[in-house]
Amino acid sequence: MSLLLSRSPLLAALVLGLAGTAALAADVPPSGAKPLSQILEAAHKVQPGVIVSAEFDDGRWEVVSCNAEGRGCREIHLDPRTAKVLRNRRESSFDAPPPAGSQTAAQIASAFEGRQLGAISEIEFDDPVWEVTVGSGTSRAKFDVDPASGEVQRCRGLGCPKR
């Protein structure tokens, strides 16, 4: 198979494209999953602090919660259907927290859930904005959100709402 793919760039591109489409579809929480806002609230109860990111990966939510300075971070893995903690471990990376007075990750997630743009697969504070990735089927959109107002500043991707 690899010999065939190496000799046919078009076939290789098709195979990679199909694999990418399958990966995209698998990166969203399953049917019957709790809303991300509830997952984040459950993570906050387990590890108080500032949630700086949450990503759906390998069939579970991976949530990073840090202290107010962005240090002392923990990575909490949660079941998407029950919000049960599957793992809670120290995270060595430094993550910049949102500025004081910003909306929390749960508040941003809740606002997006209300818009019904698709399933949220990731939310991350990437200074100076919250980045929210939403997808349904094969379309995906990444939103930059003002941390203070919660207003969308920019949208990239095929899943962006029409203006």
Side-chain angles (χ1 to χ4, degrees):
M1 176 83 166
S2 62
L3 178 63
L4 180 62
L5 291 178
S6 67
R7 295 197 177 194
S8 175
L10 182 59
L11 182 59
L14 178 63
V15 169
L16 291 174
L18 290 174
T21 301
L24 176 64
D27 284 347
V28 296
S31 171
K34 288 187 177 287
L36 177 57
S37 57
Q38 290 180 18
I39 297 290
L40 296 174
E41 289 168 6
H44 189 263
K45 287 178 185 173
V46 171
Q47 183 63 42
V50 178
I51 292 175
V52 295
S53 68
E55 177 182 12
F56 190 77
D57 190 32
D58 291 332
R60 64 180 180 236
W61 282 105
E62 297 175 2
V63 178
V64 176
S65 179
C66 303
N67 65 21
E69 292 79 38
R71 300 193 188 284
C73 301
R74 305 285 300 178
E75 183 177 74
I76 307 151
H77 294 184
L78 297 107
D79 181 276
R81 289 189 174 100
T82 65
K84 178 184 173 193
V85 175
L86 304 172
R87 185 179 200 180
N88 184 348
R89 67 181 177 145
R90 189 173 189 203
E91 172 67 28
S92 59
S93 68
F94 171 81
D95 289 301
S102 294
Q103 292 192 19
T104 66
Q107 289 170 322
I108 297 291
S110 181
F112 271 83
E113 291 160 359
R115 293 178 183 161
Q116 299 181 340
L117 299 170
I120 300 171
S121 59
E122 184 175 9
I123 184 169
E124 175 181 22
F125 184 74
D126 190 8
D127 201 9
V129 296
W130 281 108
E131 290 182 348
V132 181
T133 304
V134 176
S136 71
T138 58
S139 68
R140 180 174 279 201
K142 184 175 257 187
F143 296 86
D144 292 346
V145 181
D146 179 82
S149 69
E151 294 295 317
V152 172
Q153 296 179 331
R154 180 177 171 198
C155 182
R156 301 177 301 281
L158 296 174
C160 291
K162 305 285 186 237
R163 290 187 174 230

